[in-house]
Amino acid sequence: MDVVMSAAQVDVADRRIHGEGTPERAWRAWDGLQAVPSVAIDALVPRGARVVVVAPHPDDEVLGCGGALAMLARAGHPIVVVGVTDGEASHAGSTAWTPTLLRAERRAERIEGLARLGVAAPPQVLGLPDGGVAQAEAALCDRLRELLRPRDVVLATWRLDGHPDHEATGRAAVAAAAARGVRCWELPVWTWHWAAPGDARVPWHRMRRLALDADARVRKSHAIAAHASQLVATPAERRAPVLPVWALARVLRPFEMFIANEALP
Ligand SMILES: [Zn+2]
C-alpha cells in the first residue's frame, strides 16, 4: 500500500488519496457492492494454474488478494509473488524508520506474511525504487514477460488504483499478460479510499467478488499482522501507523474484489 506523506506526490489525476477516505461503513451500506457478481475460486484461477502476483509494495499482495492466495495455496496452486519494491519509502523523513531499515524489515515481513497465507515459495523481489515504479515500467514489463508461462493467471494492482506505483505495476502486468496471452485480474487497493459508492470512475461491471472462507479470513488477518512496521505508531515522531484502523477496516472484509480485463459472460 505504502504511506501517503505528501499528497502532491501520490495524486494521480482525479484519484486523490487524502485523509481517511471513504469509510468502510459507507461501502457496507451501499447495495451496489453487494450486487457485484460473485466468482468461484476456480473461475478466478482455473485448477492447476500457476498464480503470479505482482505487488508494488510489501503488503499489497495481502491487502489486495491475501484471502484468495490462502484459498489458492490450500488448493495446491503454485504461487509466485513478484515484489516490485521493498517499500522503503513508507516513512518518508523518519529517523526511526530509515529506508535501509525499512527495506530489510519489509522484505522479512513480506516473507512472513506469505508464510501465514500458506505460500511457501519465497517472493521474487525486484528492488525497484519505492515511488519510482513508473520510471522502470518498461523493464518491469520485460521481466514479467520473461517470467510468464502459458496458463498462468496474473493478479496485479489496478491500472487506475490511484497510487503511481500501483498504476505503473498494473500497466506493466496487463501489458505483459496480454503479450503472453494469459489472464490478468486487477486488484483495487487504494480505490476503496478515494472512490465512493457508485463512483463512475470504477468499472463495476467488470468487477467480480470472491467470498473468503473462514480459514482464508483468519489467515489474511494473521498475514496483515506480519507487516508490523506498517501497524505501529512512532510516538517520538508523532507518526500514526501507516495502516490505521480505518484502513484495516476496508481490507478485513469477508470478500475480495477482482477486475477483469476481458469482457465477461
Ligand atoms: Zn502499495
Side-chain angles (χ1 to χ4, degrees), residues 24-265:
E24 179 61 6
R25 67 176 181 280
W27 289 114
R28 285 183 188 230
W30 180 47
D31 289 345
L33 208 56
Q34 304 303 321
V36 169
S38 61
V39 64
I41 192 73
D42 54 4
L44 191 75
V45 179
R47 279 181 198 279
R50 187 176 71 153
V51 184
V52 177
V53 186
V54 193
H57 310 108
D59 75 6
D60 286 317
E61 67 277 18
V62 181
L63 305 178
C65 61
L69 293 183
M71 292 165 72
L72 292 164
R74 196 175 62 218
H77 289 267
I79 297 173
V80 176
V81 172
V82 178
V84 177
T85 82
D86 295 325
E88 71 275 10
S90 68
H91 293 65
S94 173
T95 54
W97 288 100
T98 62
T100 302
L101 177 61
L102 282 164
R103 204 174 279 122
E105 287 287 322
R106 299 197 70 187
R107 278 193 181 203
E109 289 171 356
R110 172 172 255 160
I111 291 167
E112 176 62 21
L114 289 172
R116 292 181 185 190
L117 296 176
V119 179
Q124 295 194 13
V125 292
L126 305 184
L128 294 183
D130 186 359
V133 178
Q135 288 70 42
E137 189 177 320
L140 173 59
C141 187
D142 288 345
R143 285 290 296 267
L144 296 174
R145 283 174 64 153
E146 289 167 15
L147 174 68
L148 291 176
R149 303 183 204 138
R151 298 189 67 242
D152 281 351
V153 174
V154 178
L155 305 177
T157 45
W158 183 31
R159 283 167 289 174
L160 297 173
D161 195 40
H163 186 296
D165 286 346
H166 287 216
E167 298 199 356
T169 296
R171 289 192 301 268
V174 167
R180 302 289 273 143
V182 304
R183 173 178 288 194
C184 179
W185 293 94
E186 292 177 80
L187 311 167
V189 179
W190 275 110
T191 305
W192 308 112
H193 184 105
W194 57 258
D199 202 308
R201 296 169 293 177
V202 178
W204 302 106
H205 63 289
R206 286 195 287 121
M207 209 173 262
R208 291 294 180 267
R209 181 175 55 166
L210 175 74
L212 303 181
D213 60 29
D215 176 74
R217 292 184 66 187
V218 169
R219 283 182 179 273
K220 181 174 183 176
S221 175
H222 194 40
I224 290 171
H227 292 270
S229 68
Q230 309 300 293
L231 300 170
V232 296
T234 316
E237 297 180 347
R238 296 185 179 180
R239 267 172 208 273
V242 175
L243 283 177
V245 287
W246 44 262
L248 292 172
R250 291 189 290 250
V251 296
L252 288 171
R253 297 167 173 171
F255 56 86
E256 287 171 345
M257 295 289 205
F258 300 84
I259 300 173
N261 291 316
E262 68 270 40
L264 291 167

